Amino acid sequence: MDIEQEIEIIKRGAVDLISENELRDKLKKAKSEKRPLRIKLGLDPTAPDLHLGHTVVLQKLKQFQDLGHTAIFLIGDFTGMIGDPTGRIEARPALTKEELLQNAETYKEQVFKILDPDKTEIRFNSEWMESMSAADMIRLCAKYTMARIMEREDFKNRYTNNLPISIHEFLYPLVQGYDSVALKADVELGGHDQIFNLFVGRDLQKAYGQESQVLVTVPLLEGTDGVNKMSKSYGNYVGIDESPDIMFGKLMSISDELMLKYYVLLSDITMDAFKTLNDDLKNGKIHPRDAKVNFAKEMITRFHGGAEAEAACMNFEKIHREKEIPDDVEVVRLKKENDTVWIPKLLLDMGMVTSTSEGKRMIGQGGVSVAPIDAGSMIKITSESMAADKVDGEIFKVGKRKFKKVVFEDKQS
Amino acid sequence: MDIEQEIEIIKRGAVDLISENELRDKLKKAKSEKRPLRIKLGLDPTAPDLHLGHTVVLQKLKQFQDLGHTAIFLIGDFTGMIGDPTGRIEARPALTKEELLQNAETYKEQVFKILDPDKTEIRFNSEWMESMSAADMIRLCAKYTMARIMEREDFKNRYTNNLPISIHEFLYPLVQGYDSVALKADVELGGHDQIFNLFVGRDLQKAYGQESQVLVTVPLLEGTDGVNKMSKSYGNYVGIDESPDIMFGKLMSISDELMLKYYVLLSDITMDAFKTLNDDLKNGKIHPRDAKVNFAKEMITRFHGGAEAEAACMNFEKIHREKEIPDDVEVVRLKKENDTVWIPKLLLDMGMVTSTSEGKRMIGQGGVSVAPIDAGSMIKITSESMAADKVDGEIFKVGKRKFKKVVFEDKQS
């Protein structure tokens, strides 16, 4: 493959590429020296529970890997083991070595569904940071100015608003940047929101006499609602460990527009194939529903396997066809509160009725039904209470046209 | 001695005492536990060439020592060995261990003219800093906020004026503050301009669960001109290694007012004796000239010995009496440029004439004379050139009333 084609693949869906010329030079040099480029991706050492949003950058890393380069998966265990000694940043509790190793195992298990283990280096920054002395730390700090650090929005805002910043918080980005020096990274990947930290690595490599790494950032993935970034707290996520049926339902519920974004950022299809898909959608050669089915199958195949993807698709179609349910049923995620669910409250929480009295009235009038997979048609609900097990993952219908699917939190079947 | 008397001695000439109540508590506790307080004085690890300005804080340390407390002389060799890795701060070149040990020896030699070696601990901060890890450094930095560091005027000004501040510059005050933790200092001494750094030690001791040190600062000593702070670059200093004759001449040249300040900050006489001296000066019981002679003798005795002080005094009086020279002759310090001195230019540089032509004319008219110690009277200068050796340290007279003494730089006879 020629270098311009490689660059096109690397640019796919990326927000920043700093800079294209430097990337071109590195690719040329790598080719002439017959060595792969070293691609760094730094990860939080806390236990992962990955959703598709996290996999965007992994997908970018995989593209590099497919081009023959070396993926380096860097786990920031050094800072993880220190935690936040001020106790102010809640997201940074100190972790033990054992917890960190266990988190690393969980990571591997999940990310090797995307990456090729044989072409992936798993590294820990404690390898070089644990033996670093205070004197070396001071020397490292000498390579960076306060003005540059204060370009980071959160620092600037906190300083301007007189909110406390501990000095050690300045050291963490420097440690992360030094990781690029230690790893001799050619390219660093990250979310667009991490751009400042990636720049630190670039600057420090230069200060330590290395060639600066190229930066590639990817966008934050929107959740299934198409509004907010995908996040557990918004309930708009597709977890990579969720069951095939739930994944399928969620992915079928997204808008046509969002589907195209997901294709660019998550699918393995080539950009040429993507252009053809786009044309076919415009010409009506392919129905958006079928494009969504293909995409959902690709994701489920990636995380569960091909047979599971086919089965999920068949289940989905059976239920929806037999029971005349539309494909894009919204999935609502709720906390499971009891083993028995009071349906009028459930319908209220799902936003299908405006009060529990309306819910009670609708049940009394035979206007609420549910679609279990083993029944040939929708089943009318006659009782106001149901076992939580029977509710979880089911599609509810209220009146003639309102359909919503409920999933209880943390169900990983 | 009772505690209130101790406090009076400690307050003598001090600018800051933070706080008097804490000091009282510490003194009480020390007395009841029969242990001395630990008094820290941190020193720059560069080679010293001490003048009386430096000895003000040593004099304060000696007062503590005389009260039975432990003087700790801390040499900041750790940061000295790192230097300023950015190369921006010229005053901080990296020093080798050997250079540092040699500087420490030079210090000892000079300061033990004031301090009692047996009651002095000489310490190096590399003792605890060299073995400190980067992780410990991060933990140390977690104990201090950016807002607090930015209270330091120089940082604030540089940040406001967009002048670069390297992150490591924030770490140095923390290291210095941590020294107080490592030393378990009860009191830290310093110049008033060091107050910020002393506060860091106070804060860090608290953060590490220790009782905070008391801070005592002393003023910057004015030079013999009574205008600027004593400094080599202003030429208004009295070096502790200067010859007895030069010291005597310089100290006799100061104003009566400045003499009183010097007494408070540098003399060993008690505050009661000082009050009596003040009264005697007011009543005319003692002439200011004689008070100055006593002070000059005390200083020369301290740094050279009693016999040398008496001899210097006798030389001075002999010259001044025999040759009718006033006592308060200004001492002008000049760079020695050649082995031969062109007198018209010398007189211009000393500010005794307004042009070299005036100088030449005055010599021609027999209006310039010099006062060598081995001559019974002033000797008229008839030639426009003199050997530099014959010029150095001599008093010149121009016209009927202008007297000035010239000393060539770096002469340490």
Side-chain angles (χ1 to χ4, degrees):
Chain A
M1 185 176 291
D2 87 5
I3 282 171
E4 296 310 316
Q5 281 174 302
E6 282 201 54
I7 291 174
E8 277 316 300
I9 290 172
I10 293 163
K11 282 166 79 173
R12 169 174 174 171
V15 184
D16 307 287
L17 166 55
I18 297 161
S19 66
E20 186 167 329
N21 281 340
E22 288 175 33
L23 177 64
R24 185 172 291 112
D25 289 345
K26 278 177 189 280
L27 289 169
K28 278 183 194 163
K29 213 169 148 193
K31 192 162 262 184
S32 76
E33 292 171 5
K34 289 186 181 149
R35 68 165 186 97
L37 292 181
R38 298 174 59 73
I39 320 298
K40 171 191 172 195
L41 175 64
L43 287 175
D44 201 298
T46 47
D49 190 6
L50 300 188
H51 55 60
L52 291 187
H54 299 116
T55 70
V56 176
V57 74
L58 294 170
Q59 195 61 22
K60 184 56 67 190
L61 190 53
K62 179 180 194 298
Q63 287 159 3
F64 274 99
Q65 212 171 43
D66 290 343
L67 293 169
H69 303 296
T70 307
I72 309 170
F73 220 78
L74 177 70
I75 297 178
D77 66 330
F78 172 73
T79 44
M81 281 185 288
I82 298 178
D84 178 33
T86 58
R88 206 177 316 111
I89 302 168
E90 280 186 44
R92 268 197 173 142
L95 300 174
T96 64
K97 190 94 195 170
E98 289 66 39
E99 285 171 318
L100 284 161
L101 289 175
Q102 201 182 314
N103 291 347
E105 280 309 307
T106 317
Y107 261 123
K108 275 196 218 168
E109 214 172 276
Q110 297 191 40
V111 303
F112 286 158
K113 289 177 180 168
I114 299 178
L115 299 175
D116 178 348
D118 296 334
K119 290 181 191 159
T120 307
E121 247 181 72
I122 305 234
R123 304 292 293 272
F124 296 86
N125 68 352
S126 60
E127 291 171 37
W128 45 90
M129 288 308 301
E130 246 174 26
S131 59
M132 189 185 263
S133 69
D136 292 332
M137 191 76 218
I138 292 174
R139 288 188 192 99
L140 170 56
C141 289
K143 314 255 187 217
Y144 224 73
T145 65
M146 149 103 179
R148 199 96 169 83
I149 285 272
M150 292 298 280
E151 285 171 19
R152 218 171 86 169
E153 281 300 318
D154 58 336
F155 284 147
K156 196 164 56 190
N157 291 339
R158 281 161 67 195
Y159 184 61
T160 311
N161 296 314
N162 295 317
L163 296 171
I165 307 172
S166 285
I167 304 296
H168 80 293
E169 297 183 64
F170 287 170
L171 306 190
Y172 282 171
L174 296 185
V175 168
Q176 284 170 36
Y178 183 77
D179 291 341
S180 293
V181 176
L183 290 168
K184 296 191 173 69
D186 292 304
V187 177
E188 181 163 7
L189 306 185
H192 175 60
D193 56 334
Q194 291 296 306
I195 186 87
F196 174 84
N197 288 338
L198 308 192
F199 263 114
V200 178
R202 217 172 127 83
D203 295 340
L204 287 180
Q205 284 181 313
K206 207 169 159 188
Y208 280 87
Q210 292 182 13
E211 198 180 283
S212 288
Q213 62 188 8
V214 163
L215 310 184
V216 179
T217 74
V218 295
L220 295 177
L221 192 74
E222 290 152 296
T224 49
D225 55 5
V227 179
N228 294 307
K229 66 166 187 164
M230 185 174 281
S231 153
K232 202 154 183 187
S233 53
Y234 290 127
N236 61 0
Y237 67 99
V238 183
I240 71 169
D241 269 348
E242 287 193 290
S243 76
D245 286 337
I246 288 177
M247 283 181 97
F248 204 95
K250 285 184 176 182
L251 291 172
M252 290 303 289
S253 79
I254 65 175
S255 72
D256 297 350
E257 196 195 349
L258 189 58
M259 166 187 71
L260 292 175
K261 286 192 190 168
Y262 278 23
Y263 257 111
V264 171
L265 297 172
L266 299 170
S267 167
D268 271 339
I269 68 166
T270 63
M271 281 311 270
D272 282 343
F274 177 70
K275 275 168 204 143
T276 309
L277 172 68
N278 246 316
D279 291 342
D280 289 352
L281 283 164
K282 273 181 200 145
N283 303 336
K285 268 198 196 168
I286 183 169
H287 192 279
R289 184 195 179 279
D290 297 325
K292 242 177 264 179
V293 166
N294 291 342
F295 178 74
K297 280 192 193 169
E298 183 184 349
M299 290 302 110
I300 297 167
T301 303
R302 179 177 295 166
F303 298 111
H304 295 283
E308 285 80 358
E310 288 304 327
C313 180
M314 278 173 59
N315 285 342
F316 182 88
E317 296 196 331
K318 185 164 177 284
I319 296 173
H320 286 248
R321 199 182 325 108
E322 283 175 353
K323 296 157 196 169
E324 294 173 340
I325 299 170
D327 289 337
D328 57 351
V329 169
E330 186 190 338
V331 181
V332 178
R333 188 170 283 276
L334 294 175
K335 278 225 170 71
K336 182 180 157 185
E337 280 164 1
N338 282 300
D339 288 341
T340 305
V341 177
W342 187 45
I343 305 299
K345 176 70 165 47
L346 175 79
L347 297 176
L348 177 65
D349 291 344
M350 290 171 79
M352 301 187 82
V353 296
T354 54
S355 66
T356 51
S357 6
E358 191 196 345
K360 284 166 77 168
R361 199 173 59 244
M362 292 301 284
I363 295 170
Q365 294 170 350
V368 179
S369 43
V370 67
I373 195 164
D374 49 2
S377 61
M378 298 294 282
I379 294 178
K380 268 195 191 133
I381 288 176
T382 51
S383 153
E384 285 184 10
S385 290
M386 278 175 76
D389 283 357
K390 300 270 179 196
V391 169
D392 195 10
E394 296 303 346
I395 293 165
F396 282 78
K397 182 182 177 186
V398 175
K400 293 208 170 153
R401 259 184 276 272
K402 279 192 216 163
F403 292 90
K404 285 197 183 179
K405 184 171 187 168
V406 63
V407 176
F408 285 135
E409 285 262 275
D410 295 321
K411 191 196 161 180
Q412 309 244 331
S413 71
Chain B
M1 187 175 296
D2 88 3
I3 283 172
E4 296 310 316
Q5 281 174 301
E6 281 201 53
I7 291 174
E8 277 314 301
I9 291 171
I10 293 164
K11 282 166 80 174
R12 169 175 174 171
V15 184
D16 308 288
L17 165 56
I18 297 160
S19 67
E20 187 168 329
N21 282 340
E22 288 175 34
L23 177 64
R24 185 172 291 110
D25 290 344
K26 278 177 189 281
L27 288 170
K28 278 185 196 163
K29 215 169 146 193
K31 191 162 264 182
S32 76
E33 292 172 5
K34 288 184 180 149
R35 67 164 186 97
L37 292 180
R38 297 174 59 72
I39 319 298
K40 172 192 171 194
L41 174 65
L43 287 175
D44 200 299
T46 48
D49 190 5
L50 299 188
H51 55 59
L52 291 186
H54 300 116
T55 69
V56 176
V57 74
L58 294 170
Q59 195 61 22
K60 184 56 68 190
L61 190 53
K62 179 178 194 298
Q63 287 158 4
F64 274 100
Q65 213 171 43
D66 289 344
L67 293 169
H69 302 296
T70 307
I72 308 170
F73 220 80
L74 177 70
I75 297 179
D77 67 330
F78 173 73
T79 44
M81 281 186 287
I82 298 177
D84 178 34
T86 58
R88 207 179 313 113
I89 303 167
E90 280 186 45
R92 268 197 173 142
L95 300 174
T96 63
K97 190 93 195 169
E98 289 66 41
E99 286 171 318
L100 285 161
L101 289 174
Q102 202 183 314
N103 291 347
E105 279 308 309
T106 317
Y107 261 123
K108 276 197 219 169
E109 214 172 278
Q110 298 190 40
V111 303
F112 286 158
K113 288 176 178 169
I114 299 179
L115 299 175
D116 178 349
D118 295 335
K119 291 182 191 161
T120 306
E121 245 180 74
I122 304 232
R123 304 292 293 271
F124 297 87
N125 68 352
S126 60
E127 291 171 37
W128 45 90
M129 288 308 301
E130 243 174 26
S131 59
M132 188 185 264
S133 68
D136 292 333
M137 191 78 218
I138 292 174
R139 288 189 192 98
L140 169 57
C141 289
K143 314 254 187 222
Y144 223 74
T145 65
M146 150 104 179
R148 198 94 170 84
I149 285 272
M150 292 299 280
E151 285 171 19
R152 215 171 88 169
E153 281 300 319
D154 58 334
F155 284 148
K156 197 162 56 188
N157 291 340
R158 280 161 66 194
Y159 185 62
T160 311
N161 296 314
N162 296 316
L163 295 173
I165 306 172
S166 286
I167 304 297
H168 80 292
E169 297 183 64
F170 288 170
L171 306 190
Y172 282 171
L174 297 184
V175 168
Q176 285 170 34
Y178 183 78
D179 291 342
S180 292
V181 176
L183 289 169
K184 296 192 175 67
D186 292 304
V187 177
E188 182 164 5
L189 305 185
H192 176 61
D193 56 334
Q194 291 296 307
I195 186 87
F196 175 85
N197 289 337
L198 308 192
F199 263 113
V200 177
R202 217 171 127 83
D203 295 340
L204 287 180
Q205 284 181 313
K206 206 169 162 189
Y208 279 86
Q210 294 182 13
E211 197 179 284
S212 288
Q213 63 189 8
V214 163
L215 310 185
V216 179
T217 73
V218 294
L220 295 177
L221 190 75
E222 290 152 295
T224 49
D225 56 4
V227 179
N228 294 305
K229 67 166 186 163
M230 187 174 280
S231 153
K232 201 155 183 185
S233 54
Y234 291 127
N236 60 1
Y237 68 98
V238 182
I240 71 170
D241 269 349
E242 287 192 293
S243 75
D245 287 336
I246 289 178
M247 283 180 97
F248 204 96
K250 284 184 177 183
L251 291 172
M252 289 304 289
S253 78
I254 65 176
S255 71
D256 297 350
E257 194 194 351
L258 189 59
M259 168 186 70
L260 293 175
K261 288 191 189 168
Y262 278 21
Y263 257 110
V264 171
L265 297 171
L266 299 171
S267 168
D268 270 341
I269 67 167
T270 64
M271 281 313 269
D272 283 343
F274 178 70
K275 275 167 206 146
T276 309
L277 172 68
N278 247 313
D279 292 342
D280 290 350
L281 282 166
K282 272 180 202 148
N283 303 336
K285 270 200 196 169
I286 183 168
H287 192 278
R289 184 196 179 280
D290 297 326
K292 243 176 265 180
V293 166
N294 291 342
F295 178 74
K297 278 193 195 169
E298 183 183 350
M299 291 302 110
I300 298 168
T301 304
R302 179 176 295 165
F303 299 110
H304 295 283
E308 287 78 359
E310 287 305 326
C313 180
M314 278 173 60
N315 284 341
F316 183 88
E317 296 194 332
K318 183 164 181 282
I319 296 173
H320 285 248
R321 198 181 330 109
E322 284 175 352
K323 295 158 196 168
E324 295 173 339
I325 300 169
D327 288 336
D328 57 350
V329 168
E330 185 189 339
V331 180
V332 178
R333 189 171 282 277
L334 294 176
K335 278 226 171 72
K336 181 181 159 184
E337 280 163 1
N338 282 300
D339 288 341
T340 304
V341 177
W342 187 45
I343 304 300
K345 176 70 165 46
L346 175 80
L347 297 177
L348 178 64
D349 290 346
M350 290 172 78
M352 300 187 81
V353 294
T354 54
S355 65
T356 51
S357 2
E358 190 195 345
K360 284 166 78 168
R361 199 174 60 243
M362 292 300 284
I363 296 171
Q365 296 169 350
V368 179
S369 44
V370 66
I373 193 162
D374 47 3
S377 60
M378 298 292 284
I379 294 178
K380 267 191 191 138
I381 289 178
T382 50
S383 154
E384 284 183 12
S385 292
M386 276 175 76
D389 284 357
K390 301 268 178 197
V391 169
D392 195 8
E394 296 304 345
I395 293 167
F396 282 78
K397 181 181 178 187
V398 176
K400 293 206 170 157
R401 260 185 275 273
K402 280 192 216 164
F403 292 89
K404 285 195 183 180
K405 184 171 186 169
V406 64
V407 176
F408 286 134
E409 287 262 273
D410 297 317
K411 191 194 163 180
Q412 309 245 332
S413 68

